[in-house]
């Protein structure tokens, strides 16, 4: 049993993979101050509800773009599951070259998406991840990571618009029926949604033009289904791509050794 932890800027996703598929996937808000014991109590209840004995978990892997959260997540794995987690970094064995100027600066989530996307769909391709930031990550036909683009996520854009313009309200995200809004809210919704569709299509076209080759476009992240409704550019919608990347990374690398003094195992039978 593999415990998979994907810690993003907004949410942390916990999942358990039994070698054949994910037995459970759970999300909670990212709070770097939350302790390992708080995570442990919460996760234990979810595991029991899913019929997964906590002591059946014997491996763990963590991917995070929030360095402050790593300490408590690592302690969770050590103290509650007696396992040393593999942490996704540029220095582990990815199975492909990272062809950027500074590989150590590439976010783990971007490399995980590249790993999973090439395994499932084969390159050349680009992964569009709708998270706190919207990222575009390019993989060549051999699976090498080439780099990409980062733009503000749509929630950040909406919040910035509300904060910077006194008379503009905070709006929800949705696909308007018309581009021409008949009121302030509908005009903001149109500009936000279709503006993002333009950003997606424009960047995909420019990336293809720069590489001079057609690319598959894979959408992931919680808002991927919403934006796929407004464009025909996506080959596939895969909301759990990062989790698959963590699973594949764990399979490629040996399990780290649990340090001395961290073998406290809590039997949650």
């Amino acid at each position: 049993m593999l415990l998979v932890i994907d810690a993003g800027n907004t949410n942390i996703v916990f999942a358990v993979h039994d070698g054949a598929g994910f037995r459970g996937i759970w999300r909670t808000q990212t709070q770097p101050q939350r302790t390992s014991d708080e995570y442990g109590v919460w996760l234990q209840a979810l595991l029991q509800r899913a019929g997964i004995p906590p002591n059946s978990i014997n491996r763990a892997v963590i991917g995070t773009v929030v360095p402050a959260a790593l300490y408590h997540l690592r302690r969770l794995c050590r103290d509650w599951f007696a396992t040393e987690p593999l942490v996704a970094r540029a220095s582990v064995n990815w199975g492909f070259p990272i062809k950027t100027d500074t590989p150590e600066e590439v976010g783990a989530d971007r490399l995980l998406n590249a790993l999973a996307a090439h395994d499932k769909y084969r390159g050349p391709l680009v992964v569009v991840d709708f998270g706190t930031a919207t990222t575009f990550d390019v993989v060549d036909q051999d699976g090498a990571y080439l780099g990409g683009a980062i733009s503000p996520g749509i929630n950040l854009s909406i919040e910035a618009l509300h904060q910077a313009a006194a008379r503009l309200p905070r709006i929800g995200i949705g696909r308007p029926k018309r581009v021409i809004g008949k009121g302030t809210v509908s005009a903001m919704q149109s500009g936000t949604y279709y503006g993002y569709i333009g950003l997606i299509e424009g960047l995909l076209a420019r990336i293809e033009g720069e590489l001079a080759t057609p690319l598959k476009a894979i959408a992931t992240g919680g808002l991927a289904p919403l934006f796929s409704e407004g464009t025909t550019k996506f080959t596939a919608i895969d909301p759990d791509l990062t989790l698959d990347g963590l699973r594949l990374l764990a399979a490629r690398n040996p399990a780290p050794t649990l340090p001395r003094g961290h073998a406290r195992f809590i039997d949650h039978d």
Side-chain angles (χ1 to χ4, degrees):
M1 287 284 195
L2 173 69
L3 176 63
V4 177
I5 304 173
D6 174 24
N9 289 297
T10 303
N11 294 314
I12 299 181
V13 183
F14 294 84
V16 174
H17 196 277
D18 64 3
F22 284 106
R23 292 276 299 275
I25 299 175
W26 308 279
R27 289 170 171 80
T28 187
Q29 186 178 23
T30 300
Q31 295 180 1
Q33 315 92 315
R34 185 172 291 171
T35 68
S36 57
D37 288 336
E38 288 177 297
Y39 284 125
V41 171
W42 175 80
L43 187 56
Q44 178 191 2
L46 292 172
L47 291 172
Q48 290 176 340
R49 182 175 182 180
I52 302 171
N55 59 10
S56 67
I57 292 173
N58 53 18
R59 282 208 66 182
V61 59
I62 299 173
T64 180
V65 295
V66 186
L70 180 58
Y71 172 79
H72 293 295
L73 293 172
R74 184 182 271 137
R75 285 293 302 267
L76 166 72
C77 298
R78 290 172 174 174
D79 293 348
W80 285 77
F81 301 102
T83 183
E84 180 67 11
L86 175 71
V87 179
R89 312 177 187 275
S91 58
V92 301
N93 177 16
W94 290 92
F96 58 79
I98 304 171
K99 297 182 177 181
T100 63
D101 295 337
T102 51
E104 67 278 4
E105 293 182 359
V106 182
D109 55 338
R110 303 178 69 188
L111 296 176
L112 291 164
N113 287 341
L115 174 62
H118 183 71
D119 180 76
K120 294 180 74 171
Y121 306 104
R122 297 299 167 184
L125 57 83
V126 56
V127 180
V128 184
D129 189 348
F130 296 97
T132 304
T134 300
T135 57
F136 296 73
D137 295 298
V138 184
V139 179
D140 70 13
Q141 62 183 3
D142 298 318
Y145 179 80
L146 303 183
I150 303 174
S151 62
I154 191 166
N155 282 307
L156 286 179
S157 299
I158 288 173
E159 188 62 24
L161 190 62
H162 168 68
Q163 293 289 343
R167 299 193 63 182
L168 294 183
R170 183 181 284 109
I171 62 170
I173 303 170
R175 181 189 179 188
K177 295 180 179 179
R178 299 178 179 179
V179 177
I180 301 174
K182 298 297 186 179
T184 299
V185 171
S186 60
M188 292 174 65
Q189 289 174 332
S190 173
T192 302
Y193 182 84
Y194 290 111
Y196 248 77
I197 293 297
L199 180 148
I200 293 162
E201 294 179 341
L203 273 173
L204 289 176
R206 287 178 179 273
I207 290 170
E208 283 191 334
E210 195 166 297
L211 294 179
T213 185
L215 297 172
K216 301 172 186 175
I218 314 301
T220 190
L223 294 176
L226 174 64
F227 284 105
S228 68
E229 296 175 3
T231 180
T232 60
K233 295 295 185 180
F234 291 123
T235 305
I237 312 300
D238 198 332
D240 296 321
L241 198 63
T242 312
L243 295 179
D244 278 324
L246 283 163
R247 174 183 60 82
L248 292 167
L249 188 69
R252 293 196 62 87
N253 289 267
T257 302
L258 189 69
R260 287 188 176 183
H262 290 280
R264 177 169 69 88
F265 180 71
I266 301 175
D267 189 353
H268 302 296
D269 284 340

